[in-house]
Amino acid sequence: MSPLADRLEQVGAEAAARADHWEILAVERDDTVVEVGSGVPDLVRSAHETALCLRVHRHGRVGTATTTRLDDVRGLVGEAVRNAAHGPPASHDPVVGRTAAPKAAGMPAADQGTRSVRLLAERLGALQRSSGLTVHGTVTRTEQAVHRAAPDGRTTTSDRFFHIAALAEGSAVQLPWTGWTRTPELPAALSAWLEAAAGWDGLPAAGAPSGDHDVLLAPSAVHTLLTPLVTALNGTAVTAGRSFVAGRLGEPFLHPSIGLRDHPSEPAAPDEEGTGGLAWPGSDDDGVPCAPLTLVERGVPVRAYHSVRTAAACGTAPTGHGFRGNALRRTVLKPATPVLNGATLSAGPADAGSFDDLLAGVREGVLVESLMGGHQRAGLSPVVEGRLRLGFLIRDGRVAGILRQRPIALDLREVLGRRFRAVSDRRWAVSRIWSGRLPFVLADGT
Amino acid sequence: MLLTGGSPALFRDAGLRVDDYAEVRVERARTVDLVWRGDGLESSVTSRDEGCCARVIGRSGSAFASSTAVDAGPVLRRAARDAVELGCAAGRLAAHRPYRDDRPGEAGELAETVGLAEKVELLGAYHATALAAHPGVTGALVYYRESVADVELLTSEGTGVSYRRRDLTLQITVYADGGAARTAGSVSAGSGGDFSVVRGLAPDVEAAVATAVDLRAAPVVAPGEYDVVCDGPLAGIWAHETIGHLAEADHHLGDAPLQRSLAPGRRLGPSMLTITDHPGRPGARGFVPVDDEGTAGSAVELLRDGVVTRPRLHDRSTAAAFREEPTGNARALNFRHPPLPRLRTIAIAPGAASEEEMIGGVARGLLARGVLGGQTDRAGFTFLPAECREIRDGEVRGRVRGVVLSGDVLGAFAAIDAIGREQWRGDTSASCGKQGQNALPVSSWAPMLRLRGIRVTSG
């Protein structure tokens, strides 16, 4: 028995003696990060973390304590029991789905240990030579095991993956890109995007077209645009009373071609889109099985996503989205909250095409790569307002200039509603607050 | 512990080279989190977060390692091994002035001396008050957090420092149904561990309810350019997000345009504008008398009389790169992170204008109070004030909603034409985020500011 497994036994035994019910979530994680500056690996960081969260029910109330000191079992249990004396009623924290069978999140690919992260960092740095842009970034190799224990049993899931965060700088553009991979190979989407960006770097500065013009949103901007809706469908926003869509489920909201679905990646799916690490475990941190969930169907928001706690507060069933941190990176010091880990935005086949097709279809418009500040009112309003961080002028189906920074407001109901035209058939991973595989989106004159 | 445990042997046994620099930092933190959401208390959590980190900087390479184990030896050896095996670029540190003072005195009613039952009763009453105050209220969030961390730092140069960091925040947000959107009012408080700042907030909660409820019927602001009078909390965070972040010296590395923009002697604002980042005062969130490299904190005057004076806030690495002195701004969120140049307490010096004079001089403008959100990318900024009222012909009128302030970071200083005479020195729950080290405690002190011709969009 490993030291941590032994510790789980001890905590469980102590908690059983002092509480009516108990649950443990323990995380062991090893990260190695290589930072790349101007194409050269210039710093290495590593972190080893073992932490444990204990939640107990005692006399009808819930108490929670977390620790990194695994040797102090009595102290941990004592803290949880003390918190339960003043904690929330246990009725808000029902015990459901605790015996979910574990499912492997994907077999960790063989690699060369921590040296593989250096290899991948060197490959990232080499893009500086091939693209002509200055490349900065980080490559993180994560090895993680998550243990859940309760009176009815114990499960363990483990995973290993690489996360890549890159920033390509030219004389005028600063282009971020993030993605995951299970092998120390650069996703093809990263190279392709840098190649495109390098071609746009020398373009002249331009203002936005003055009249009505089409808007082509890159995946990063689509993420910003969707964040109000994704936040409003979060059980936490619903229970807090801050969701603008709660109470309006079932009402038409977006274009009838639009769908939004949260689902695990296909184990056999290739990594070239940079989504290879976006996988789910078998169950969430409440022990509820993870399963695909349709959030928006034919333009109609149909479901919120929940943890056990938010589902109980709303009188509905949990959906397996309760995670401490997120499914890829658990942090026991954070509370279990509903998190989307693999949302996919899609449209009907008649409304999808390649990026080149979408671009070619724009006579005059703008390509919005990223926005700043657009998430600040997330959940409160379907309007995203912020400042254009990076955008391009499109003229006659070609990128023709780099837009000057300016304020911008996008109404989700317009861009993905009556002005919606098409999505790209390729999707990229984007992860900020929530994670998804998102396409380019084209909207008619706005 | 670390400082009395034969630490020289720690470095001797780590396999360091003669000219390697190494440091270890051990932290023991305790945190209490209380959250009310929905119809009552949602969670009550205590956390014990302990661990250590090591940093090695040498000719063969640089590395940082951390672990939740508090035995520094293996962590230091891992950092030394990674520095060599993963072969990253070498680093260099500037000489510094190590912190030598005794542990600073602690101010106020220490949070851990207040029992959990009393906290739950007091803060739960705020939540209940908000929910019951008006039928238009759809929900309320109360989020309280207190933490105390004991830190020990030891370097291969012989510096040994121990210090205690405290932090306390309370955020109360009240939501109301505004039709297609939700409206919000908020209360934000913070301190360096002084619990008394969260007592007696019932009138503030009622004001937050009134804001959320009144905003439902408030007109959406018309986009355009406005003269904006900001209150102290908003002005302070604006200073933090603009000149503050621009002054973090790691952003200057390899960025010649930024170095030119902040060249000493360059005029950025009016002659009454002076902005300083300093170690703060005991009891405040941004009190940092010693940074996480053991450097004693010193005040850095960023702007004096509208002109750039010292444009860089340093850790020892950036100080070496620019051949300047470390300023005591090397801060790490916790043992999981290496220190970076970070702000502490940014302060806009008070001016001479009264509130009446500032508002009286506005024909068409906005009175903006507090912050709902804010972001900058060092070129531009966007801010969402917590509350905005229209100003017409020198008179404050009703609330407007959907206000988003935006502009160019450097250009906005020239828009300031009046500075209030009272400097706000409270703390809010607003913290600082940078490179994954989010929610670092900071303070922002500022008087009211009047800015002419600020771009406003509506959302």
Side-chain angles (χ1 to χ4, degrees):
Chain A
M1 185 177 284
S2 74
L4 182 58
D6 183 40
R7 203 62 75 189
L8 295 183
E9 293 285 334
Q10 293 175 28
V11 173
E14 179 78 14
R18 300 179 63 181
D20 307 323
H21 175 76
W22 57 271
E23 291 176 355
I24 302 168
L25 182 80
V27 175
E28 292 178 283
R29 182 169 51 240
D30 202 85
D31 290 315
T32 305
V33 184
V34 175
E35 297 185 4
V36 175
S38 300
V40 179
D42 62 5
L43 183 68
V44 60
R45 287 184 276 131
S46 64
H48 181 78
E49 174 126 4
T50 306
L52 194 151
C53 174
L54 170 67
R55 189 164 55 175
V56 300
H57 290 192
R58 190 166 189 269
H59 299 160
R61 292 185 176 273
V62 183
T64 307
T66 75
T67 190
T68 57
R69 286 296 300 270
L70 304 184
D71 56 335
D72 187 8
V73 171
R74 292 183 66 88
L76 173 70
V77 177
E79 287 278 357
V81 168
R82 273 192 293 279
N83 286 334
H86 306 287
S91 59
H92 284 193
D93 193 60
V95 178
V96 295
R98 302 297 200 227
T99 55
K103 184 183 75 176
M107 288 301 292
D111 68 7
Q112 303 161 40
T114 55
R115 288 180 186 278
S116 58
V117 70
R118 168 69 194 233
L119 178 67
L120 198 49
E122 287 173 349
R123 288 175 174 162
L124 176 64
L127 288 177
Q128 177 161 313
R129 290 189 294 279
S130 60
S131 70
L133 300 171
T134 303
V135 175
H136 313 289
T138 59
V139 178
T140 304
R141 177 186 181 274
T142 296
E143 213 168 341
Q144 178 176 263
V146 179
H147 310 266
R148 286 194 68 256
D152 56 2
R154 193 170 75 210
T155 64
T156 297
T157 57
S158 58
D159 201 0
R160 180 194 302 149
F161 54 87
F162 299 89
H163 176 254
I164 302 166
L167 180 72
E169 277 187 328
S171 57
V173 302
Q174 273 200 337
L175 201 75
W177 192 93
T178 58
W180 290 265
T181 173
R182 291 184 181 279
T183 59
E185 302 290 335
L186 288 182
L190 170 58
S191 308
W193 187 229
L194 290 192
E195 196 175 310
W200 300 336
D201 186 46
L203 294 172
S210 53
D212 270 5
H213 54 270
D214 294 346
V215 175
L216 180 57
L217 300 174
S220 174
V222 173
H223 186 282
T224 304
L225 180 72
L226 279 174
T227 293
L229 179 61
V230 167
T231 305
L233 291 171
N234 186 315
T236 300
V238 176
T239 57
R242 67 169 291 171
S243 168
F244 65 82
V245 83
R248 298 184 177 91
L249 296 179
E251 298 177 10
F253 188 72
L254 303 176
H255 189 280
S257 178
I258 297 282
L260 184 66
R261 184 172 165 81
D262 193 46
H263 62 93
S265 62
E266 294 296 328
D271 274 357
E272 67 264 24
E273 304 294 332
T275 60
L278 281 178
W280 283 355
S283 60
D284 70 6
D285 293 342
D286 293 324
V288 179
C290 292
L293 181 72
T294 298
L295 300 161
V296 176
E297 188 169 24
R298 297 189 183 91
V300 179
V302 292
R303 247 346 263 278
Y305 53 102
H306 286 286
S307 64
V308 163
R309 183 192 52 72
T310 64
C314 293
T316 187
T319 58
H321 287 84
F323 287 97
R324 296 179 181 272
N326 60 51
L328 278 178
R329 190 168 189 85
R330 312 298 235 291
T331 307
V332 301
L333 300 177
K334 291 183 177 177
T337 55
V339 179
L340 276 194
N341 295 295
T344 300
L345 179 73
S346 61
D351 300 317
S354 70
F355 170 73
D356 290 339
D357 288 342
L358 266 53
L359 185 62
V362 177
R363 192 182 65 79
E364 185 159 48
V366 296
L367 166 58
V368 178
E369 198 283 329
S370 54
L371 299 169
M372 181 181 71
H375 62 276
Q376 296 175 131
R377 214 191 297 272
L380 292 173
S381 163
V383 179
V384 168
E385 69 289 292
R387 194 172 165 82
L388 184 69
R389 189 198 296 272
L390 179 61
F392 301 91
L393 174 69
I394 305 174
R395 188 161 285 151
D396 297 327
R398 298 171 63 91
V399 175
I402 300 171
L403 292 179
R404 297 183 185 94
Q405 288 203 345
R406 65 186 180 98
I408 189 169
L410 298 169
D411 189 328
L412 173 64
R413 297 163 298 187
E414 295 276 318
V415 177
L416 292 178
R418 68 185 181 86
R419 295 181 188 274
F420 169 75
R421 196 195 302 176
V423 299
S424 65
D425 49 13
R426 291 183 71 171
R427 301 181 183 87
W428 293 0
V430 185
S431 180
R432 297 187 298 264
I433 307 171
W434 61 279
S435 301
R437 307 174 189 88
L438 302 174
F440 287 81
V441 168
L442 177 61
D444 284 334
T446 52
Chain B
M1 298 286 288
L2 181 66
L3 299 182
T4 57
S7 297
L10 180 74
F11 295 110
R12 194 171 56 236
D13 298 342
L16 300 171
R17 302 183 183 206
V18 174
D19 48 2
D20 282 348
Y21 166 85
E23 70 190 18
V24 294
R25 181 158 39 95
V26 177
E27 295 191 15
R28 296 174 176 83
R30 286 178 174 273
T31 304
V32 177
D33 288 285
L34 300 169
V35 180
W36 284 259
R37 188 162 21 211
D39 59 1
L41 179 63
E42 176 181 296
S43 65
S44 166
V45 182
T46 53
S47 300
R48 183 176 178 184
D49 190 24
E50 301 186 1
C52 70
C53 61
R55 190 165 61 146
V56 172
I57 297 173
R59 280 190 185 175
S60 54
S62 305
F64 173 87
S66 71
S67 173
T68 47
V70 290
D71 181 359
V75 180
L76 179 59
R77 286 194 291 277
R78 179 169 180 176
R81 186 196 68 202
D82 285 352
V84 174
E85 291 189 358
L86 296 175
C88 285
R92 197 162 56 90
L93 298 181
H96 71 143
R97 184 168 62 91
Y99 181 73
R100 298 291 185 202
D101 296 341
D102 292 334
R103 182 170 288 185
E106 291 170 322
E109 180 187 18
L110 297 180
E112 68 264 31
T113 65
V114 180
L116 182 59
E118 185 179 352
K119 289 170 184 162
V120 169
E121 184 179 355
L122 175 72
L123 304 174
Y126 295 152
H127 185 253
T129 297
L131 289 182
H134 192 279
V137 169
T138 57
L141 166 69
V142 176
Y143 181 24
Y144 170 84
R145 164 172 276 214
E146 67 180 52
S147 66
V148 55
D150 287 311
V151 184
E152 296 175 273
L153 173 74
L154 194 71
T155 76
S156 56
E157 295 171 337
T159 299
V161 185
S162 65
Y163 43 97
R164 175 169 288 172
R165 287 194 297 239
R166 294 179 180 279
D167 192 40
L168 181 151
T169 56
L170 174 67
Q171 176 70 32
I172 302 173
T173 310
V174 185
Y175 302 106
D177 188 352
R182 289 288 195 252
T183 55
S186 65
V187 179
S188 182
S191 73
D194 179 2
F195 189 80
S196 69
V197 301
V198 302
R199 296 189 186 276
L201 294 180
D204 302 80
V205 174
E206 289 167 9
V209 170
T211 299
V213 169
D214 290 355
L215 279 174
R216 297 180 307 163
V220 175
V221 69
E225 291 196 347
Y226 289 79
D227 296 340
V228 179
V229 177
C230 304
D231 72 352
L234 176 56
I237 291 178
W238 176 77
H240 173 104
E241 294 289 346
T242 54
I243 185 72
H245 280 302
L246 278 182
E248 291 166 341
D250 51 335
H251 298 316
H252 293 232
L253 292 168
D255 191 340
L258 176 58
Q259 293 174 32
R260 284 194 295 274
S261 297
L262 288 184
R266 180 176 175 190
R267 174 166 292 282
L268 287 185
S271 58
M272 65 280 206
L273 181 63
T274 293
I275 302 178
T276 305
D277 179 78
H278 60 81
R281 67 177 179 191
R285 299 191 67 208
F287 179 51
V288 188
V290 52
D291 73 8
D292 291 313
E293 290 179 332
T295 303
S298 58
V300 180
E301 198 171 63
L302 304 170
L303 294 183
R304 169 178 279 277
D305 303 332
V307 174
V308 177
T309 44
R310 289 178 67 190
R312 282 181 280 274
L313 304 173
H314 284 298
D315 59 21
R316 294 183 65 189
S317 172
T318 61
F322 287 97
R323 299 178 186 276
E324 295 172 354
E325 289 186 7
T327 54
N329 288 82
R331 303 183 64 190
L333 185 66
N334 54 41
F335 65 87
R336 296 174 178 84
H337 303 277
L340 295 170
R342 304 293 294 267
L343 290 151
R344 303 162 298 182
T345 296
I346 197 164
I348 302 177
S354 68
E355 182 173 345
E356 293 72 23
E357 289 166 347
M358 298 174 79
I359 292 169
V362 174
R364 176 176 182 262
L366 298 169
L367 174 60
R369 292 196 173 108
V371 183
L372 192 62
Q375 196 179 4
T376 175
D377 64 358
R378 290 183 275 143
F381 66 85
T382 66
F383 281 101
L384 276 68
E387 180 193 356
C388 264
R389 288 178 182 271
E390 192 179 21
I391 302 174
R392 277 295 169 102
D393 300 324
E395 287 188 2
V396 178
R397 298 194 175 176
R399 288 186 171 97
V400 290
R401 65 172 167 168
V403 174
V404 182
L405 310 175
S406 67
D408 297 326
V409 167
L410 290 172
F413 292 102
I416 297 172
D417 82 334
I419 299 177
R421 62 172 68 129
E422 305 285 337
Q423 187 189 50
W424 182 82
R425 288 191 171 194
D427 271 328
T428 71
S429 62
S431 301
C432 179
K434 179 181 175 183
Q435 294 178 22
Q437 297 194 43
N438 298 329
L440 187 75
V442 291
S443 294
S444 303
W445 299 351
M448 294 183 83
L449 296 181
R450 185 173 65 199
L451 298 95
R452 298 288 191 183
I454 293 297
R455 181 171 290 279
V456 172
T457 54
S458 61

